[in-house]
Amino acid sequence: MQRFAKQSASSSAKEFESDKALLAQNKIFEEVKRNLQKAKMFLKKSPDNLVTKSRLDGIDKDFKTAIDGVIINTGSAQTFRNLTATSKILTELQVKAAAIKLILDVHQEQLNTFRYKLDSLLSIPALFKFSNDSAVLTRYIGQIKVVAYQYHPIDSLLKQDLLRTTALLNRTNLLVFNLQISQEEISAYQQDMARNSFKREFANIWDSAVYSRPFKEILQQAEAKGMLTLIFYLENNVGKLFVVLLLILCSFLYIRSLKSIYKEQDLLTDNFEGKLVLRYPLLSAILLVLNVSQFMFISPPFVLNVIIWTLSCLCLTVMFRAFITRYWMRTWLLMVVFFLVAALDNLILQASRPERWLVLIISTVGSVAGAVIMITGKKQELREKLIVLAIGLMVLLEFGSTLANIFGRYNLAKTLFIGGFLNVVIAILFLWTVRLINEGLFLAFSVYKEQDKKLFYLNFDKVGKKVPMSFYFLLVFGWILLLGRNFAGFESVVNPVQDFFAIERTLGEYTFTINGLLLFFFIMGVSVVTSQVVSFFASDKHLVHDKQGKKNVMQGIGSWLLLIRIVILSVGLFLAIAAVGIPLDRITIVIGALGVGIGFGLQNIVNNLVSGLIIAFEKPVNVGDVVDIGGQAGTMKSVGFRSSVITTWDGADVVMPNGDLLSSHLINWSLAGNKRRVFIPLGIDYDSDLPVVKTLVSQILEEEQRILKKPSYAVLYDSFSESSIDMKIYFWVRDFKEAALIKSDIVTAINEKFKANAIKIPFPQQEIYLHNTVRGKEES
């Protein structure tokens, strides 16, 4: 029995271990199947290696184009424009290569994770415990075959994908490394050029060239790099381009609306003197928006600037036709031609002897032409006198370009060459931009001083007749900035400023940058301005009822105004916080501090703010309603966060806290359709025929068209007073504002009707008797 017990215990233990191993094996097989299914789905969604390879080929091709003339085919010296264009292209290529590298890194890591999970599952010791039961063992071997059948194809695909991904990643890493090395080399060239701006790069222009590359290849290289920089920049600034197009459309609609007003009032003249902005609304809109909005584009390629300036020049040329004198029109066209030639030459990136001779000839002709214009020009015909200063600066810059070019200072010569002509064109464009903006504001201010949907609800009493002086300073700063971009030392001046704004600073546990703070205030400023622009729609000038008594469409917007402003400011606040990266725990601290402040001394302010929210949601009163609140009767002008404004019948604006508005007895005449019942008390003589009197009064009320027929009027006799029979007249009018006038007209009509029919309206009178008493006798 003891041997039997031991054998039974041993057999039971073996069966238990076998059952336990079987359960573990089934769980492992299920986990393996789930991971194989996930790996299979992952492989279906994995990046297309052919597409990735094509993208890498494209980057490699663009990389070779970028370094042409800088690292390969260098020539005897580097040029500033070539280095700048190459640096922009390499920066963009680095971004694209880094994006591909990130995708490949993540994909490789996920592939390794799947392989590690599968290998670790298939190496668990429980899989290698076999049952003594032949039937169970046979089933288990069948399961292993099924799992192996499913595992090997997916494992093979994972290995193949991993090999391909690793190969692409190695190529990408090498490409990223080459891009970084090339960018560092170009940065060194740029720094050296900035330190040696006046250094000789080439021999004198009459000496023989040390290195000569076919001019056709130089043009092809310039075209390829120019297109790359333009395409890359446009791809990254599609949103800004859309904003510019939207601004052009809005400006065009505004100027065209203003022109239509002048046409309706017959105020336009044939020569458009003082109204040049109205001559061609589309061209004016393009010119103004392009000149102002070009500063939205940070570090744009020169070819994009050339496109913007060329379009602006074409618009201004058409507008100048038959407006300025022939002499200055020819001068302007000459400057535009000089500028276009200089701009096209500046697109050539690598130096060559033919280009040096071209720059020499054009700069010499330009300096001579500018000197002639300054000496013999008809300055009395010039509409903008400051243009003479720009022409004088052009003469100095072009003369300096000529000297620098002759003695081998190629980069300095080319910088002065493009800067001279660019200075004149930009100065003229900016001067006329300010002039056209002033014209538009003055013309709108002159013909319309109230808000109107034709002019986008602009109030020119607030906008003014001229642009502020700060706008002039911004344009002068922009003019300096546009000229400075052409100099080699510009980046060395700008980069420290950018670093100052971008460097991270620590205050306690919070890290911030000045750029982040500026972005925070910018977003909040935009939110506040947008909120104020929206609040402009609540102006009492255009929130009135029309002649039929219907509410203006804008009154509906005014009723939701407070909610819209709250949403705008709230969204702006959270966007600003998110943009700066302020932690949420800091916000909770601020909210807690505000809670303490509210508990101690801000009850009234919070009460008014909450009352404003209640008014916004319940809307017991809307903007434009006729109200009577605590004896203050008038029209609701606005509903703000803390207080509301009521315009009284005397013309004064009463600022009432929202808490007082809710706690007072509010009478809203507009809530029920703006109609009102009018009451007229009347007394007639005792000798009057009452039915006739009632008929006469009813005739007057029937004939008056301004009195509502439903509800109907009522003529009632009330009581016998001391000197008359009192009656009451009730009737309804459509508009509360017309009640006093209609009541006055009805009283006048009743008086005339009663006189015509000999009906008297008595007034209170008394008879006085005097009694005299003489010696006990009464005499009267």
Side-chain angles (χ1 to χ4, degrees):
M1 291 299 294
Q2 290 177 354
R3 284 198 303 271
F4 176 75
K6 291 180 180 180
Q7 291 173 358
S8 299
S10 176
S11 176
S12 298
K14 289 180 180 179
E15 289 180 359
F16 175 74
E17 291 296 329
S18 177
D19 293 339
K20 184 178 178 182
L22 182 61
L23 290 175
Q25 290 164 359
N26 290 332
K27 289 182 179 180
I28 293 171
F29 285 148
E30 290 297 326
E31 185 68 21
V32 169
K33 290 178 180 179
R34 281 197 295 269
N35 280 277
L36 287 175
Q37 186 66 25
K38 290 180 181 179
K40 188 176 180 180
M41 296 299 296
F42 172 75
L43 289 172
K44 288 182 179 180
K45 298 179 181 179
S46 62
D48 192 339
N49 292 323
L50 293 177
V51 174
T52 304
K53 184 177 180 299
S54 176
R55 292 175 62 188
L56 290 174
D57 291 340
I59 294 175
D60 197 28
K61 179 183 176 182
D62 294 340
F63 174 59
K64 292 177 181 178
T65 302
I67 62 176
D68 185 14
V70 178
I71 297 177
I72 58 174
N73 301 321
T74 56
S76 56
Q78 300 289 352
T79 64
F80 169 69
R81 283 279 298 118
N82 202 5
L83 291 175
T84 303
T86 302
S87 177
K88 292 180 182 296
I89 296 174
L90 291 181
T91 300
E92 186 63 30
L93 294 179
Q94 281 181 300
V95 173
K96 292 187 174 183
I100 296 176
K101 183 180 183 305
L102 178 61
I103 294 174
L104 293 176
D105 281 335
V106 173
H107 188 63
Q108 185 187 51
E109 183 180 355
Q110 290 175 331
L111 287 172
N112 287 325
T113 301
F114 276 115
R115 295 199 66 224
Y116 174 77
K117 284 183 178 179
L118 292 172
D119 291 341
S120 61
L121 287 172
L122 295 177
S123 62
I124 295 176
L127 292 176
F128 304 101
K129 293 183 178 180
F130 303 107
S131 174
N132 294 326
D133 190 340
S134 59
V136 175
L137 181 60
T138 302
R139 288 196 301 270
Y140 180 64
I141 292 174
Q143 284 182 306
I144 292 176
K145 289 181 179 180
V146 172
V147 172
Y149 178 78
Q150 295 176 343
Y151 169 77
H152 286 296
I154 295 177
D155 184 62
S156 178
L157 291 175
L158 288 173
K159 289 180 180 178
Q160 293 174 8
D161 197 3
L162 183 60
L163 290 175
R164 288 192 295 264
T165 302
T166 303
L168 288 174
L169 187 57
N170 291 335
R171 181 183 173 187
T172 305
N173 288 330
L174 180 60
L175 184 57
V176 170
F177 176 76
N178 290 333
L179 288 170
Q180 291 175 346
I181 293 298
S182 301
Q183 186 70 280
E184 291 173 0
E185 188 174 351
I186 290 171
S187 298
Y189 284 142
Q190 289 177 321
Q191 293 174 3
D192 181 67
M193 188 173 293
R195 289 192 297 265
N196 302 282
S197 299
F198 298 95
K199 182 181 178 181
R200 175 193 289 267
E201 298 101 354
F202 300 102
N204 295 332
I205 198 168
W206 54 79
D207 295 333
S208 59
V210 178
Y211 172 85
S212 178
R213 185 180 183 184
F215 191 65
K216 184 178 180 181
E217 291 184 9
I218 293 176
L219 292 179
Q220 291 174 348
Q221 176 236 30
E223 180 184 1
K225 286 192 177 183
M227 291 303 298
L228 278 179
T229 55
L230 180 62
I231 291 172
F232 288 159
Y233 195 82
L234 294 181
E235 288 176 352
N236 296 328
N237 293 273
V238 175
K240 292 182 180 179
L241 292 174
F242 176 76
V243 171
V244 170
L245 293 177
L246 184 62
L247 290 174
I248 291 175
L249 177 62
C250 294
S251 301
F252 165 67
L253 294 176
Y254 163 72
I255 298 174
R256 189 182 66 174
S257 301
L258 187 59
K259 184 178 181 179
S260 65
I261 293 176
Y262 268 75
K263 276 187 176 181
E264 292 172 1
Q265 300 183 11
D266 196 22
L267 298 175
L268 292 178
T269 57
D270 294 335
N271 61 353
F272 284 88
E273 182 64 36
K275 305 178 183 66
L276 182 62
V277 69
L278 303 181
R279 188 178 185 183
Y280 303 106
L282 180 59
L283 298 183
S284 298
I286 295 174
L287 175 65
L288 295 176
V289 173
L290 287 182
N291 284 333
V292 175
S293 64
Q294 63 180 307
F295 299 107
M296 292 169 50
F297 301 98
I298 307 300
S299 188
F302 185 75
V303 62
L304 179 61
N305 283 331
V306 171
I307 294 173
I308 293 175
W309 296 329
T310 303
L311 289 175
S312 299
C313 289
L314 290 176
C315 294
L316 194 57
T317 301
V318 176
M319 296 171 68
F320 277 165
R321 186 171 54 86
F323 183 77
I324 63 175
T325 62
R326 181 177 298 180
Y327 175 84
W328 286 107
M329 184 65 178
R330 291 176 178 175
T331 302
W332 162 248
L333 292 176
L334 179 64
M335 295 301 163
V336 171
V337 171
F338 280 145
F339 163 72
L340 292 178
V341 173
L344 293 175
D345 176 76
N346 202 42
L347 294 175
I348 300 175
L349 303 178
Q350 197 166 7
S352 63
R353 186 55 59 90
E355 187 208 2
R356 286 184 65 187
W357 280 107
L358 175 64
V359 172
L360 178 65
I361 294 171
I362 300 299
S363 61
T364 303
V365 173
S367 58
V368 172
V372 172
I373 292 171
M374 290 188 64
I375 295 173
T376 63
K378 301 177 182 180
K379 299 181 181 62
Q380 67 278 4
E381 298 177 356
L382 192 60
R383 294 178 179 269
E384 291 290 344
K385 307 300 182 182
L386 294 176
I387 294 176
V388 176
L389 298 178
I391 294 175
L393 180 59
M394 180 201 75
V395 172
L396 295 176
L397 293 178
E398 297 306 322
F399 181 71
S401 174
T402 301
L403 294 178
N405 195 7
I406 290 174
F407 296 106
R409 273 74 174 175
Y410 171 80
N411 286 298
L412 178 61
K414 198 166 182 178
T415 299
L416 297 176
F417 175 64
I418 183 64
F421 297 124
L422 178 63
N423 132 74
V424 176
V425 171
I426 296 299
I428 294 175
L429 289 175
F430 281 0
L431 286 172
W432 279 93
T433 296
V434 175
R435 180 179 179 131
L436 293 176
I437 292 176
N438 281 329
E439 278 188 4
L441 292 176
F442 179 77
L443 293 174
F445 183 87
S446 300
V447 300
Y448 199 85
K449 298 183 179 180
E450 297 178 355
Q451 305 90 334
D452 191 292
K453 62 182 179 181
K454 291 183 178 180
L455 295 180
F456 302 104
Y457 299 94
L458 292 179
N459 188 342
F460 290 95
D461 281 329
K462 298 179 180 179
V463 175
K465 297 184 287 185
K466 293 181 63 177
V467 296
M469 286 300 298
S470 58
F471 188 77
Y472 290 89
F473 290 110
L474 289 177
L475 287 184
V476 172
F477 177 76
W479 175 75
I480 296 173
L481 186 66
L482 293 175
L483 290 182
R485 286 177 180 172
N486 298 287
F487 289 86
F490 180 75
E491 296 292 336
S492 61
V493 176
V494 173
N495 287 337
V497 178
Q498 292 179 342
D499 294 339
F500 172 78
F501 285 96
I503 191 172
E504 291 188 349
R505 294 169 171 80
T506 302
L507 183 62
E509 298 180 356
Y510 177 61
T511 302
F512 66 95
T513 63
I514 296 180
N515 278 335
L517 294 178
L518 293 177
L519 181 61
F520 177 86
F521 289 112
F522 173 76
I523 295 176
M524 288 304 303
V526 170
S527 302
V528 172
V529 171
T530 305
S531 173
Q532 292 177 348
V533 169
V534 171
S535 69
F536 183 74
F537 286 90
S539 174
D540 58 334
K541 297 292 183 183
H542 57 274
L543 294 179
V544 297
H545 294 76
D546 57 19
K547 295 181 180 179
Q548 285 74 31
K550 298 180 180 180
K551 291 183 179 181
N552 190 291
V553 177
M554 296 308 302
Q555 187 169 357
I557 297 178
S559 64
W560 290 93
L561 183 66
L562 182 58
L563 285 179
I564 296 173
R565 292 183 64 191
I566 291 174
V567 170
I568 291 173
L569 292 177
S570 300
V571 171
L573 177 61
F574 283 105
L575 286 178
I577 292 173
V580 178
I582 300 176
L584 292 178
D585 54 353
R586 303 294 192 276
I587 300 177
T588 57
I589 294 174
V590 174
I591 294 175
L594 288 176
V596 175
I598 291 170
F600 279 102
L602 302 178
Q603 295 95 333
N604 291 333
I605 295 177
V606 174
N607 176 33
N608 292 327
L609 293 176
V610 174
S611 299
L613 289 175
I614 294 173
I615 294 172
F617 280 102
E618 291 188 357
K619 286 189 281 295
V621 61
N622 291 328
V623 175
D625 286 352
V626 178
V627 297
D628 190 340
I629 305 172
Q632 298 290 344
T635 304
M636 288 300 302
K637 183 177 182 180
S638 66
V639 179
F641 291 108
R642 189 195 64 84
S643 60
S644 301
V645 179
I646 303 172
T647 300
T648 64
W649 306 128
D650 297 332
D653 286 348
V654 177
V655 180
M656 179 175 292
N658 290 331
D660 295 344
L661 189 148
L662 276 184
S663 60
S664 302
H665 294 287
L666 170 64
I667 300 175
N668 191 336
W669 294 101
S670 302
L671 197 60
N674 215 41
K675 63 183 180 181
R676 181 182 178 182
R677 192 182 73 168
V678 180
F679 163 63
I680 299 177
L682 184 62
I684 59 175
D685 191 77
Y686 274 96
D687 296 332
S688 301
D689 190 342
L690 298 185
V692 173
V693 171
K694 186 172 183 179
T695 301
L696 294 176
V697 174
S698 299
Q699 288 177 355
I700 295 173
L701 299 177
E702 286 284 349
E703 294 172 357
E704 179 56 59
Q705 299 297 324
R706 294 172 293 179
I707 294 177
L708 295 176
K709 305 307 178 186
K710 291 182 181 181
S712 179
Y713 59 86
V715 179
L716 305 174
Y717 291 104
D718 183 47
S719 61
F720 297 97
S721 63
E722 294 180 354
S723 56
S724 64
I725 299 176
D726 294 338
M727 58 187 306
K728 294 181 179 179
I729 303 172
Y730 299 96
F731 57 88
W732 292 83
V733 296
R734 289 189 182 88
D735 194 349
F736 170 84
K737 297 179 181 179
E738 297 180 352
L741 178 61
I742 296 174
K743 182 177 181 180
S744 174
D745 293 341
I746 294 297
V747 170
T748 303
I750 290 175
N751 185 47
E752 293 176 354
K753 200 80 169 179
F754 281 7
K755 286 183 179 179
N757 291 273
I759 297 175
K760 295 181 179 180
I761 300 177
F763 53 88
Q765 55 184 342
Q766 293 179 347
E767 293 182 0
I768 301 174
Y769 295 90
L770 299 176
H771 300 276
N772 294 327
T773 304
V774 180
R775 295 179 181 179
K777 294 182 179 180
E778 184 176 303
E779 295 180 1
S780 69

